[in-house]
Amino acid sequence: SILAIFRDISERKQAEDEKTILKTQFIKAQKLEAIGTLAGGIAHDFNNLLMSIQGNASLMLDDLDSSDPNVTSLINIENAVQSGAKLTQQLLGYARKGKYVVSPICLNHIIKETAGVFSRTRKEISIQCQLDEELSLIDADEGQMEQIVLNLFVNASDAMRGGGDLILSTHNVTDEDMRGRLYNPNAGNYVKLTVADTGIGMDQDTQERIFDPFFTTKEMGRGTGLGLASVYGIIKSHGGYIDVDSEEGQGTTFSIFLPVSDKERHKKNKSTKHIIKGSGTILLVDDEEQVLEVGSKLIERIGYKVFVAESGSEAIDVYNENKAKIDLVILDMIMPQMGGGETYDKMKMIDSKVKVLLSSGYSIDGEAAEIIKRGCNSFIQKPFSMKDLSVKIDEVLAN
Ligand code: ADP
Ligand code: MG
């Protein structure tokens, strides 16, 4: 006699599969969390250090005659500070943190500007732009969009050592046009950006790993492996999608989709090359002594009188006593005990029309954006130069 027992295990199989997927997602989330914490810590301390270096270099540059032989060295110091700040920005981008100032922007504008700067450094690459003049606006952080575009350009350029074509195009599309890709896009209108190069391309294995942090095929010193990881993080935090299409020896095309904004465009001051001098009184609040010291010197040099406060509570006291005199408060966001957010709220209770420029090297999950939503006037990222600062102050005071 034969006894046969059948058991349908498809449900169990399915549950197991789901478990593995959840597990990988969990590990990924943990990795992201760890990098986020790391990036946050570095960004906060490191950017304060850079702030001091940058500020002192700015002050010295301002003192020197342009013919002074030290001017070049100081400019080199400023450039090195900017590179250092970019590294922390990459990490923050990957960790999806530090999305500060979101406004309706046109991607074409950023592409043109970045391509312009870029083409000057790589003459053997010919850049072709096919930009849709009617392109919709997107809600995005301008600095982060620049970072994305620049990262893609640098990679394309690395893939075309001997020269080649870089083709940039933008279009208005909808989720319908995005069918058949790996993800399931939310319904709605999108702006599509493609960055195509005629470089060395990638094999399948490489393509699968390009968005991993620290994955690089470049030799030591050339690649950090953070470029595309940060691109990915930034696009995700903007509710967008990214795709890559490549073949070895055939070049590479990146497609990026970002959701269209439903807001009106607001006007932006064009960036200036010069320090904008002004007059008035500013209260500078920061818990780092170094930042206070160099910051107050910078502010005085731009033409303003300055009060300083080392903590949120001290800032409230100073503001209470001098509110008639103080035209603007520059407020550090992360401080022990009373942070920037709380200090801002308290100042608003003293004077609802208080003007506040928020400053930080890092924001915890868009905390800066939160404070800005509550009415805070603007945000400046540390480390900033004398020029950056003067432009920001002027912008806030003019409003
Ligand atoms: P990095 O540029 O520092 O190596 P990225 O995250 O920017 O780090 O890129 C990761 C890897 O992806 C690169 O090392 C390279 O192998 C591959 N890659 C990225 N963009 C391109 C491209 N346009 N063409 C060919 N390979 C690319
Ligand atoms: Mg790169």
Side-chain angles (χ1 to χ4, degrees), residues 155-156 159 197 201-202 206 210 215-218 223-225 227-228 252 254:
N155 282 344
D197 65 58
M202 293 172 255
T206 307
I210 51 173
F215 172 79
T216 178
T217 57
K218 295 166 194 171
T224 58
L228 287 177
T252 303
F254 283 95

Side-chain angles (χ1 to χ4, degrees), residues 5 11 24 59 125 142 145 149 162 190 235 247 257 290 306 314 341 347 362 370:
I5 298 173
E11 229 164 72
T24 24
L59 286 167
I125 290 175
E142 203 167 302
M145 289 301 118
V149 173
Y190 289 82
I235 288 170
E247 226 168 285
F257 301 88
Q290 280 187 336
V306 60
E314 196 187 331
M347 284 184 171
Y362 165 59
E370 270 305 307

Side-chain angles (χ1 to χ4, degrees), residues 342-361:
E342 201 185 331
T343 312
Y344 173 68
D345 293 340
K346 292 226 163 101
M347 284 184 171
K348 250 193 127 167
M349 286 201 284
I350 300 171
D351 179 0
S352 61
K353 288 198 280 297
V354 60
K355 288 190 168 169
V356 177
L357 174 57
L358 208 57
S359 124
S360 181

Side-chain angles (χ1 to χ4, degrees), residues 8-70:
D8 181 0
I9 61 159
S10 47
E11 229 164 72
R12 198 172 85 200
K13 272 298 278 171
Q14 206 178 353
E16 269 167 13
D17 287 351
E18 263 163 31
K19 220 163 141 188
T20 347
I21 292 173
L22 280 176
K23 210 164 148 189
T24 24
Q25 276 175 347
F26 178 67
I27 291 171
K28 257 201 180 148
Q30 265 190 332
K31 192 163 77 174
L32 202 67
E33 191 56 44
I35 291 179
T37 313
L38 176 79
I42 294 177
H44 179 252
D45 296 353
F46 193 65
N47 282 350
N48 275 332
L49 281 176
L50 290 178
M51 184 61 242
S52 163
I53 301 172
Q54 166 77 72
N56 283 301
S58 276
L59 286 167
M60 286 170 82
L61 262 176
D62 194 53
D63 276 337
L64 293 181
D65 192 75
S66 59
S67 63
D68 195 292
N70 285 326

Side-chain angles (χ1 to χ4, degrees), residues 73-353:
S73 311
L74 284 168
I75 290 176
N76 286 340
I77 291 178
E78 285 203 315
N79 289 340
V81 168
Q82 288 311 317
S83 309
K86 259 185 208 130
L87 266 181
T88 41
Q89 284 314 304
Q90 302 266 37
L91 270 172
L92 283 176
Y94 173 68
R96 302 189 199 173
K97 300 204 167 165
K99 185 174 152 191
Y100 299 111
V101 185
V102 174
S103 57
I105 56 172
C106 179
L107 207 51
N108 284 350
H109 180 71
I110 288 172
I111 293 166
K112 274 186 218 154
E113 213 152 76
T114 317
V117 174
F118 190 74
S119 63
R120 259 169 268 144
T121 60
R122 293 294 312 269
K123 294 246 158 52
E124 66 280 28
I125 290 175
S126 109
I127 301 185
Q128 294 156 37
C129 288
Q130 298 155 2
L131 307 180
D132 185 345
E133 288 303 322
E134 307 280 293
L135 196 69
S136 306
L137 302 179
I138 54 171
D139 286 323
D141 181 313
E142 203 167 302
Q144 294 195 326
M145 289 301 118
E146 268 165 27
Q147 190 178 322
I148 291 183
V149 173
L150 201 61
N151 276 332
L152 294 177
F153 288 4
V154 170
N155 282 344
S157 139
D158 283 347
M160 300 188 288
R161 291 259 134 234
D165 296 328
L166 181 62
I167 303 137
L168 313 169
S169 71
T170 53
H171 296 287
N172 291 319
V173 298
T174 67
D175 58 297
E176 294 282 313
D177 302 309
M178 293 155 69
R179 276 227 187 109
R181 297 188 186 255
L182 285 176
Y183 36 75
N184 257 325
N186 291 329
N189 295 322
Y190 289 82
V191 160
K192 178 183 185 187
L193 159 69
T194 60
V195 177
D197 65 58
T198 55
I200 53 174
M202 293 172 255
D203 58 28
Q204 201 57 42
D205 279 352
T206 307
Q207 280 180 52
E208 266 157 35
R209 301 182 58 194
I210 51 173
F211 297 115
D212 287 354
F214 306 111
F215 172 79
T216 178
T217 57
K218 295 166 194 171
E219 73 256 36
M220 274 293 265
R222 278 209 61 83
T224 58
L226 281 171
L228 287 177
S230 73
V231 166
Y232 185 83
I234 291 170
I235 288 170
K236 282 284 144 214
S237 73
H238 282 81
Y241 306 92
I242 181 165
D243 260 359
V244 61
D245 198 3
S246 181
E247 226 168 285
E248 253 178 306
Q250 300 292 321
T252 303
T253 302
F254 283 95
S255 308
I256 289 171
F257 301 88
L258 291 160
V260 164
S261 163
D262 49 10
K263 286 190 213 93
E264 275 296 304
R265 153 149 246 185
H266 81 184
K267 288 203 184 66
K268 270 212 98 179
N269 282 9
K270 271 302 300 150
S271 56
T272 354
K273 287 224 160 55
H274 307 286
I275 292 168
I276 305 177
K277 297 245 173 181
S279 63
T281 304
I282 290 175
L283 167 59
L284 175 66
V285 190
D286 203 301
D287 63 312
E288 282 307 306
E289 206 184 308
Q290 280 187 336
V291 174
L292 268 192
E293 198 184 309
V294 74
S296 53
K297 282 189 194 151
L298 289 174
I299 294 170
E300 279 171 351
R301 199 60 75 81
I302 305 170
Y304 301 88
K305 290 202 190 71
V306 60
F307 286 110
V308 293
E310 255 182 282
S311 68
S313 51
E314 196 187 331
I316 299 292
D317 290 345
V318 176
Y319 188 66
N320 241 331
E321 275 164 41
N322 304 284
K323 59 174 177 268
K325 271 185 255 165
I326 294 172
D327 301 297
L328 171 75
V329 182
I330 300 179
L331 184 59
D332 185 28
M333 214 178 67
I334 297 173
M335 294 186 288
Q337 279 122 37
M338 197 195 287
E342 201 185 331
T343 312
Y344 173 68
D345 293 340
K346 292 226 163 101
M347 284 184 171
K348 250 193 127 167
M349 286 201 284
I350 300 171
D351 179 0
S352 61
K353 288 198 280 297

